[in-house]
Amino acid sequence: MAFPEILSFLAPHSVRRCLVIGPNSVSAKLVINSLQKTFVVNEGFGHSRHVQAIENVSLEVTDGEFVCVIGPSGCGKSTMLMIMAGLYPKTGGEIFLDGQPLSEPGLNRGVVFQDFALFPWLSVRENILYGVKQKKIPEDKHNGIVDHYIEMMSLQGFEHTFPNRLSGGMRQRVAIARALALDPELLLMDEPFGALDAQTRANLQQVLVDVWEQTKKTVLFITHDVREATFLADRVIVMSARPGRITAEIKVDLPRPRDILAPEFVEIERNLASLIESQNETLHN
Amino acid sequence: MSGETTTTSWKAKAEFYFRAVLENLLPIAILLGIWEFVSWNEWVPPQLFPRILTIFFDMVEEITDGVLLTHIGTSIVRLLISVFFALIAGTIIGIVMGASRTFEWMLVPVVNFFSVIPGIALFPATILFWGLTEQAVVITISFATSIPIILNTWVGVKTVNETLVHAARSMETKGLALLLKVLLPGSLPVVIAGWRIGIARAWRVLLAGELLASPEMGLGVRIFDAQETLNSAVIYGGIIIIGFLGFAMERLVLRSLEVATVQRWGMMREL
């Protein structure tokens, strides 16, 4: 916020709020302040239902941090990501990315969806270029950008293939390449490996870690897989089911590449699993 | 990881076209064979049900006279002009209806109101305005044809995979760009199906128009003239020509478009 501190009383509430945040938050890339989301589900014929998906979620993510959000299905973690992508409106709270309030979709965020969401009528190359064209990057740079991400995601030779002709793992590589080609400030990933088989998933997790170490992007990664979160994240946020709230937070200090069989890894994984388990118990009681 | 290689051989190409012709013409040839068998045995009086060969020779005779080709040409021109307007207008209206709540709300009742009215029932009204003219025929066909195209396009747009729309919106695609870049290609399988239904309807309304507005030339004119002289070979010949033209148009234009787009993109299963 380029707002002089002394004039802060003139600023609208949302801006003032941002200024008061402590020195710790100055370096925060992403700030979420008591986020709320209530859905009104229209069931037709005059029936509607109010569902509170997210209740009072606050979170700060520093630049270059890899944060995993984990929780049982229906805990609002995907909804949270959609709000950050600007695809769903929030019903309360504030989100700031690089100090700018965030509500609309924008090319400063790259989104990777669980079911790939590649455009079937565009080739791999054209899919990767979609956002690049939206950013109005001059055409003479296109080849360089495409080649760079094709190589990064090991997609050589498939530039002119249509996505529906590719395997699930390959499709998700293209989707990640498309999101990265935007050179986004924030990479939002919504259970991106959830639809893949175990082997492909393990493979892509490693690819993602490599890419993240190369690009140093800030990543918010939604998952329900404890091992995946432990393998990928600097920090794991645990959410509870309906309405979604943050119930715990675990730092994963292990060096990368991580060995999923190392005792330290297994211990963190077990801790995380028991945190989620205890929630399920409170949910059922 | 190895890439993809493309191969095209003359042998594969020849085989493709041979199969295409065989698969499309064989069922019709079988049907005509049964016809010939039944009429050759005279199980039905030949005045009512002439042999295929008789129909065929009558056709050849008329072609050498030059009359038949004029009839066919006139009908096809009428049809193509009407279909041209209906495809453009119907597809645009359908997309807008599928993308905008206001247009949907305004147009759904209107389109559904007109969708039950047969094209033939519209002729008396259009003839009031334009008289017994080509305009009256073309306008009526266009109108009737656009209805199923609108309905299909509308449903097609509304059923485009929501994640695709999310992906496009997350990359700042909205308004007209969203329509053209995502909603139109995403709904193309259903839109083409609508064009199919529309064009079939255009043929039906065309024939009704040629009966009611009674122009000089046209396949419909020929059939109804033959009815007055009880010339069953010409009646059946006309029906066969119409069916064949409609079928050829569907296979050569729409099916080819499908193979080149939605099937190539993997949005439609190959059988």
Side-chain angles (χ1 to χ4, degrees), chain B residues 54-72 217-219 221-223 225-226 231 233-238 241:
Chain B
T54 320
I55 296 171
F56 181 71
F57 287 131
D58 276 19
M59 260 188 232
V60 172
E61 200 175 301
E62 269 189 282
I63 288 173
T64 45
D65 286 353
V67 201
L68 183 56
L69 290 181
T70 321
H71 281 303
I72 293 177
M217 283 289 174
L219 282 166
V221 181
R222 178 170 171 273
I223 293 175
D225 283 352
N231 189 341
V234 171
I235 295 176
Y236 289 117
I241 291 170

Side-chain angles (χ1 to χ4, degrees), chain B:
Chain B
M1 220 166 274
S2 70
E4 274 200 344
T5 51
T6 45
T7 50
T8 350
S9 73
W10 284 107
K11 201 174 154 233
K13 257 195 158 163
E15 201 184 302
F16 169 81
Y17 285 108
F18 178 73
R19 270 186 68 111
V21 171
L22 188 74
E23 281 174 2
N24 284 307
L25 294 187
L26 194 63
I28 293 181
I30 291 172
L31 199 69
L32 293 181
I34 296 170
W35 180 325
E36 182 65 9
F37 186 71
V38 170
S39 58
W40 179 71
N41 278 308
E42 299 199 356
W43 290 339
V44 183
Q47 298 89 330
L48 303 183
F49 200 68
R51 289 178 59 177
I52 283 293
L53 288 177
T54 320
I55 296 171
F56 181 71
F57 287 131
D58 276 19
M59 260 188 232
V60 172
E61 200 175 301
E62 269 189 282
I63 288 173
T64 45
D65 286 353
V67 201
L68 183 56
L69 290 181
T70 321
H71 281 303
I72 293 177
T74 317
S75 284
I76 286 186
V77 169
R78 268 183 208 128
L79 184 97
L80 289 183
I81 294 173
S82 321
V83 165
F84 175 77
F85 288 123
L87 282 190
I88 293 177
T91 310
I92 291 175
I93 295 171
I95 289 185
V96 171
M97 254 168 77
S100 146
R101 195 176 298 179
T102 316
F103 277 97
E104 183 179 48
W105 164 65
M106 296 274 284
L107 290 175
V108 168
V110 180
V111 174
N112 279 316
F113 176 87
F114 281 110
S115 74
V116 294
I117 297 171
I120 193 168
L122 297 170
F123 273 109
T126 45
I127 288 172
L128 272 184
F129 272 87
W130 288 280
L132 295 173
T133 58
E134 294 289 344
Q135 284 103 300
V137 178
V138 167
I139 286 166
T140 315
I141 302 172
S142 301
F143 187 85
T145 305
S146 64
I147 300 289
I149 295 177
I150 292 174
L151 286 173
N152 258 56
T153 310
W154 168 57
V155 172
V157 168
K158 291 196 75 166
T159 51
V160 170
N161 184 351
E162 202 182 7
T163 350
L164 288 185
V165 180
H166 279 154
R169 283 185 50 219
S170 80
M171 291 183 279
E172 290 189 4
T173 317
K174 49 194 159 191
L176 189 64
L178 188 70
L179 287 190
L180 296 176
K181 286 184 180 171
V182 180
L183 295 179
L184 181 61
S187 60
L188 204 56
V190 188
V191 171
I192 294 178
W195 292 351
R196 256 197 196 106
I197 303 168
I199 293 172
R201 194 168 184 189
W203 276 104
R204 278 177 267 158
V205 183
L206 171 74
L207 269 284
E210 289 180 341
L211 167 67
L212 290 173
S214 54
E216 297 272 301
M217 283 289 174
L219 282 166
V221 181
R222 178 170 171 273
I223 293 175
F224 293 114
D225 283 352
Q227 185 198 3
E228 282 173 16
T229 56
L230 285 177
N231 189 341
S232 59
V234 171
I235 295 176
Y236 289 117
I239 292 172
I240 290 171
I241 291 170
I242 292 164
F244 190 76
L245 285 176
F247 160 76
M249 222 179 252
E250 192 275 323
R251 290 282 99 177
L252 293 177
V253 181
L254 293 178
R255 179 67 194 141
S256 303
L257 180 67
E258 232 169 38
V259 172
T261 59
V262 289
Q263 193 169 307
R264 187 163 77 103
W265 301 333
M267 291 171 79
M268 186 182 238
R269 264 178 293 129
E270 287 170 54
L271 290 179

